[in-house]
Amino acid sequence: MKKFEYAFDNKRYHTWNYYLKKTFGEKVFKVSINAGFTCPNIDGTISHGGCTYCSKEGSGDFAGNPKDDLIDQFYKIKEMMHKKWHNAKYIGYFQAFTNTYANVDVLKEKYETILELDDVIGLSISTRPDCLPDDVVEYLGELNKRTNLWVELGLQTIHDGTSKIINRGHDYKEFLEGVEKLKSKNIKTVVHIINGLPGEDYNMMMETAKAVGEMGVDGIKIHLLHVIYDTPMEKMLKNGSLKLMEKDEYINLVCDQLEILPKEMIIHRLTGDGKRDELAGPLWSLKKWEVLNQIDDTLKSRDSYQGKKLEHTQ
């Protein structure tokens, strides 16, 4: 096979690293921040307790410490990342909980504080599709004109029955409405999905990936369901109503999903991992690089790549 056009080295999918290097011409990494937001699915606006898989850090397990102010958080995480990459520019990553769930003036104060720091060339804002009121979208549209902005939307699954099981708090229709709001402002959007949710089989997970591929969004994060201690999902695991995916099963599924995603779609993530001391399973997910390498090897053994299956339908 000739070299995949949207990746470096041996990759056969459109890597986030490729996008950053092509866009900025140098190393760029995300600096994860916990800006002290909550979530309507936690504070009682929609529900209490949040999504059944969500950790106490609001899925911001590797973000900064919310007890520190934003600038202190940024510099602490940045310096830790610099142990691996000495010279780089930065994207401020508002990761934990729901990062558009506040008054616009509050959002502006937090976002602009990070944007003003040296060598910050963009923002990535993680949120829910039901937390995009018109005034927030207007501000994001303005922000999009002056920085490299990404908005990350949690979908997890297109199947509303599963969404109810995991206490997601919105349906698929509401998610699509959120995507259209962001599209109307030309805001780059990345969609999160989770493989291995309770009750979902191979076909259901493929249907979710196919739907995201057809949305016209800019990127996708594919996560493995990893179960954190002291969550409702752990209770499901203990009572036998949840079966964890095996490594080979997951790797083959991800490769199948990549084959039906457009080549132009940026792959921001291909697995998920939790903190070692908080992870109930699957424990193989802790070896993230081993999983990523096996995805590379599987695509190579198939003589396959991202978007291959679409070439036969166009």
Side-chain angles (χ1 to χ4, degrees):
M1 181 195 117
K2 67 178 182 180
K3 188 175 180 295
F4 185 72
E5 58 193 298
Y6 294 109
F8 300 118
D9 305 323
N10 65 329
K11 298 297 181 184
R12 292 169 175 247
Y13 55 90
H14 193 156
T15 65
W16 172 235
N17 186 47
Y18 176 88
Y19 163 78
L20 293 173
K21 285 253 181 100
K22 282 291 185 180
T23 304
F24 301 105
E26 60 187 309
K27 181 64 185 177
V28 177
F29 62 74
K30 284 182 171 182
V31 179
S32 297
I33 300 161
N34 186 330
F37 293 108
T38 182
C39 174
N41 209 21
I42 291 175
D43 68 8
T45 302
I46 294 173
S47 181
H48 292 282
C51 301
T52 59
Y53 53 79
C54 197
S55 68
K56 61 181 180 294
E57 288 91 1
S59 296
D61 303 276
F62 301 102
N65 188 335
K67 294 178 181 178
D68 297 331
D69 69 35
L70 291 184
I71 294 176
D72 285 345
Q73 279 189 54
F74 183 90
Y75 280 111
K76 285 179 181 178
I77 298 292
K78 182 190 83 166
E79 291 309 311
M80 184 177 68
M81 300 287 282
H82 269 306
K83 292 176 183 177
K84 185 173 181 181
W85 298 294
H86 300 296
N87 298 304
K89 295 292 197 311
Y90 319 111
I91 291 175
Y93 182 21
F94 287 81
Q95 181 182 19
F97 297 99
T98 303
N99 292 277
T100 58
Y101 188 47
N103 181 279
V104 170
D105 291 337
V106 173
L107 300 180
K108 285 182 179 179
E109 188 273 328
K110 292 180 185 293
Y111 300 165
E112 304 291 346
T113 293
I114 298 301
L115 273 179
E116 289 172 2
L117 298 177
D118 290 344
D119 292 326
V120 172
I121 49 78
L123 295 178
S124 189
I125 298 168
S126 183
T127 190
R128 293 168 57 92
D130 51 358
C131 290
L132 293 170
D134 291 345
D135 58 344
V136 169
V137 174
E138 285 296 323
Y139 169 57
L140 292 175
E142 185 271 321
L143 201 58
N144 188 51
K145 294 176 181 177
R146 54 188 172 91
T147 194
N148 187 274
L149 178 67
W150 284 85
V151 173
E152 303 194 15
L153 284 186
L155 169 61
Q156 321 317 354
T157 177
I158 65 168
H159 304 287
D160 287 340
T162 309
S163 294
K164 289 177 182 176
I165 292 171
I166 63 176
N167 195 39
R168 186 66 194 149
H170 65 77
D171 60 18
Y172 184 42
K173 179 176 178 292
E174 200 163 12
F175 177 85
L176 293 175
E177 290 169 354
V179 169
E180 289 307 313
K181 285 184 177 183
L182 297 174
K183 276 188 183 180
S184 73
K185 301 296 181 183
N186 296 314
I187 295 169
K188 294 184 291 296
T189 305
V190 55
V191 175
H192 292 229
I193 67 173
I194 298 177
N195 288 327
L197 291 171
E200 293 216 346
D201 60 17
Y202 170 86
N203 288 332
M204 295 172 75
M205 291 182 274
M206 288 296 290
E207 286 165 2
T208 292
K210 182 174 185 290
V212 175
E214 294 173 349
M215 278 178 197
V217 294
D218 305 272
I220 188 171
K221 279 189 175 180
I222 301 176
H223 297 266
L224 164 71
L225 176 68
H226 56 273
V227 179
I228 303 299
Y229 291 126
D230 300 321
T231 60
M233 195 66 77
E234 188 201 6
K235 292 179 182 177
M236 295 185 71
L237 182 62
K238 286 181 174 178
N239 68 27
S241 54
L242 171 66
K243 182 179 181 296
L244 298 177
M245 295 191 78
E246 300 291 340
K247 182 168 69 170
D248 287 348
E249 177 188 15
Y250 182 78
I251 287 166
N252 281 297
L253 170 65
V254 168
C255 291
D256 291 347
Q257 290 173 325
L258 286 171
E259 288 175 345
I260 62 169
L261 294 175
K263 290 181 180 181
E264 299 77 18
M265 179 175 284
I266 300 163
I267 310 299
H268 291 241
R269 178 180 279 271
L270 283 181
T271 185
D273 52 348
K275 291 182 178 178
R276 182 178 294 273
D277 59 351
E278 296 179 3
L279 183 66
L283 296 180
W284 58 260
S285 68
L286 292 169
K287 298 179 179 179
K288 183 169 72 173
W289 287 106
E290 187 176 293
V291 175
L292 293 173
N293 287 338
Q294 284 191 238
I295 289 170
D296 291 338
D297 291 344
T298 300
L299 288 171
K300 184 177 180 181
S301 70
R302 295 182 181 188
D303 192 26
S304 192
Y305 45 87
Q306 181 180 340
K308 182 176 183 179
K309 294 287 180 67
L310 297 180
E311 293 175 348
H312 304 296
T313 61
Q314 292 171 348

